[in-house]
Amino acid sequence: VSITCSHVGLDKETILNRLADSQVQQLAHRFSPLGGGDSGSRFRPGRGFQNMKLIVGIDEIEGLRGMSLKLLGIMRFLEMYPEQRNSIVIKQIGVRLDSRPDDYLSTTNEVNKLIARINKRYGRKIIEYEERSSICLNERLALLKAADIFLVTPVRGG
């Protein structure tokens, strides 16, 4: 039996170089509420979002990752601070996992219902949701660069 301790982290220089990359810069501009989106971006905030704060979430679709709890927290925030309802837009990406298909089905069903409930309650698309099988590093960095807030709320990770 062999036991080792491995520290996992990000290489700062690599991340800074990628952030400066023209492709990441262009994607970030498309995702930004000021960029307005275009046909090449997955998220297209469109008109009327120029004065909005962009909140980004990227979560795996798994019950223990807490995306449903995050959405309930967002709903509670919007109830407690009604003045914020017209000042934020949330871009949430759900990344599908191949493991635990029953958990995936129940979690995605619950997430979709919560998002529909929130958007219906406040009369506009506050949360723009997209489900994917993966998200590449450039796109992830572009979303983080465009975001005013990156919302990470795992119940359990690792």
Side-chain angles (χ1 to χ4, degrees):
V1 174
S2 176
I3 298 174
T4 64
C5 180
S6 299
H7 298 281
V8 179
L10 300 174
D11 178 30
K12 181 181 171 183
E13 290 302 314
T14 300
I15 297 298
L16 291 174
N17 288 337
R18 287 298 264 290
L19 283 169
D21 182 82
S22 63
Q23 182 185 16
V24 172
Q25 296 287 328
Q26 289 172 350
L27 282 170
H29 182 72
R30 289 179 193 160
F31 294 144
S32 168
L34 295 174
D38 67 18
S39 60
S41 71
R42 292 186 184 234
F43 288 123
R44 289 174 289 285
R47 297 179 187 198
F49 288 93
Q50 288 77 12
N51 297 319
M52 300 268 185
K53 294 292 183 195
L54 176 61
I55 300 172
V56 171
I58 302 170
D59 297 280
E60 292 174 337
I61 305 170
E62 185 179 68
L64 291 175
R65 301 297 177 163
M67 196 183 328
S68 297
L69 292 174
K70 175 196 282 192
L71 294 169
L72 289 170
I74 290 168
M75 191 180 325
R76 180 78 171 130
F77 170 78
L78 294 169
E79 289 168 3
M80 292 176 64
Y81 302 97
E83 69 277 8
Q84 296 297 321
R85 294 175 190 164
N86 292 316
S87 64
I88 63 169
V89 62
I90 301 164
K91 306 298 181 190
Q92 177 65 52
I93 294 179
V95 181
R96 289 185 294 273
L97 298 176
D98 292 334
S99 61
R100 303 179 63 196
D102 291 338
D103 181 56
Y104 162 77
L105 290 174
S106 65
T107 303
T108 197
N109 186 34
E110 184 176 6
V111 163
N112 285 321
K113 284 180 182 176
L114 284 168
I115 290 170
R117 185 171 148 198
I118 292 168
N119 287 339
K120 183 178 178 182
R121 177 176 288 177
Y122 299 110
R124 69 174 183 86
K125 201 170 190 178
I126 289 178
I127 302 175
E128 191 167 331
Y129 178 66
E130 183 176 342
E131 189 176 304
R132 301 188 190 179
S133 58
S134 66
I135 180 169
C136 72
L137 180 60
N138 279 357
E139 198 165 11
R140 185 180 295 258
L141 290 174
L143 281 165
L144 297 178
K145 185 172 180 63
D148 294 294
I149 299 168
F150 180 56
L151 190 57
V152 181
T153 57
V155 173
R156 179 185 157 269

